[in-house]
Amino acid sequence: MRSKQYAPDLTAAPRRPASAEVEAVRDLVVEDVETGFCGAVVRVEKTPGGPTVTLEDRLGKHRVFPLGPGFWIDGRPVSLVMPKASQGAATPQRTASGSIAVPKARARVARAGRIYVEGRHDAELVEKVWGDDLRIEGVVVEYLEGVDDLAAIVDGFRPGPDARLGVLVDHLVPGTKEARIVEQARRSAFADYLLVVGHPYVDVWQAVKPSALGVESWPSVPRGRPWKEGVCEAFGWPVDPPAAWKRILRSVRDYRDLEPELLGRVEELIDFVTG
């Protein structure tokens, strides 16, 4: 689930052969062009974000890819399609996070435990991708508007065996202010029931894959320039961060549009809070 790597200008390159359509039948061995992952088809599913194919490599590792073009078989490009025998068969539906959906499931009564995130944008992104899962598990996500007072927030919450607290922090890399704040919070008397994790991005905006927005990469914003405003300028958007965020959030269909550095941390927090 890494960001797409864009090749240099190929206007002078020879035209590639058209992809042949091949049914994604079980045990068919294919290679994903983008990542180089090679494996056998073990599953084809219909999901809210579109049909997917799951491949298993020789070590037993599974990876999920969108069904369609972008694969190789014996060195020739192919486009995987739904097997005819499966087109009318019922397949498990998936939530935006990739979990198996539970039809007509009622939301669970909220747990005493919580997941805290830094800001509104973090909370909205988590809700869009993991909202169905969180409601079934009874996990509430709240935003803090910053983590400068994280240690005091933890002490005020008083996490315990039946009320675990998970916290997601932006830009959690060694040597930063955020790292020092988190280290202090981890020395809390309630540390056994506290989990603080983070992603390396300056802002949760960057946890959205550039490919979801149709760009090659997130821009480098000069020091001293407000980061979100700098992003708007670099993309040629109106300098309106709230409107820009709505545009970014609309581009996120499901977990495949997010970077693994965020995906893994949110899943870790959900597992921790649900015990």
Side-chain angles (χ1 to χ4, degrees):
M1 298 180 63
R2 296 282 178 185
S3 299
K4 292 184 178 179
Q5 300 296 316
Y6 287 79
D9 184 10
L10 300 180
T11 54
R15 180 175 298 175
R16 294 182 179 180
S19 298
E21 289 192 349
V22 175
E23 292 183 26
V25 296
R26 188 175 180 86
D27 296 328
L28 175 71
V29 177
V30 300
E31 178 183 352
D32 176 61
V33 175
E34 181 183 334
T35 64
F37 187 89
C38 184
V41 174
V42 295
R43 183 164 58 247
V44 177
E45 298 172 300
K46 295 177 181 177
T47 76
T52 64
V53 58
T54 301
L55 304 182
E56 181 181 65
D57 70 7
R58 60 185 181 84
L59 300 177
K61 182 178 179 181
H62 286 196
R63 291 281 298 274
V64 181
F65 301 93
L67 201 66
F71 298 93
W72 294 93
I73 295 180
D74 296 329
R76 55 189 182 87
V78 299
S79 178
L80 296 182
V81 298
M82 189 76 70
K84 290 184 175 63
S86 301
Q87 288 178 357
T91 56
Q93 294 297 302
R94 297 276 175 171
T95 67
S97 71
S99 301
I100 295 177
V102 181
K104 300 181 181 179
R106 297 180 62 182
R108 177 174 175 168
V109 175
R111 296 173 182 266
R114 291 288 187 272
I115 292 177
Y116 286 167
V117 296
E118 283 206 41
R120 181 185 294 274
H121 295 177
D122 306 69
E124 290 175 344
L125 185 59
V126 169
E127 162 61 27
K128 181 161 188 179
V129 177
W130 288 273
D132 290 339
D133 306 38
L134 293 168
R135 280 182 283 278
I136 288 177
E137 295 291 350
V139 177
V140 175
V141 175
E142 300 179 9
Y143 66 92
L144 301 174
E145 297 185 339
V147 293
D148 288 352
D149 298 321
L150 184 58
I153 290 169
V154 171
D155 289 342
F157 184 87
R158 300 178 66 85
D162 298 321
R164 296 184 174 204
L165 178 61
V167 184
L168 179 69
V169 177
D170 296 343
H171 198 224
L172 186 55
V173 295
T176 61
K177 175 192 74 172
E178 290 80 3
R180 293 190 292 272
I181 290 171
V182 168
E183 184 58 33
Q184 182 182 6
R186 285 173 175 162
R187 293 197 292 266
S188 166
F190 307 100
D192 289 347
Y193 307 105
L194 169 71
L195 177 64
V196 185
V197 299
H199 58 74
Y201 307 112
V202 173
D203 190 275
V204 77
W205 288 20
Q206 284 186 303
V208 177
K209 288 183 177 180
S211 57
L213 298 171
V215 298
E216 294 189 10
S217 63
W218 286 96
S220 177
V221 178
R223 286 181 177 272
R225 176 67 171 141
W227 188 81
K228 291 176 181 177
E229 293 181 6
V231 167
C232 293
E233 289 182 343
F235 286 160
W237 299 347
V239 181
D240 183 348
W245 170 242
K246 290 180 180 179
R247 180 173 184 168
I248 294 167
L249 190 62
R250 283 197 304 269
S251 74
V252 177
R253 300 163 300 168
D254 55 36
Y255 70 97
R256 291 171 296 182
D257 291 323
L258 302 182
E259 298 287 4
E261 288 82 358
L262 177 67
L263 290 172
R265 302 297 76 74
V266 175
E267 296 284 354
E268 191 177 352
L269 289 175
I270 294 173
D271 289 344
F272 177 78
V273 172
T274 57

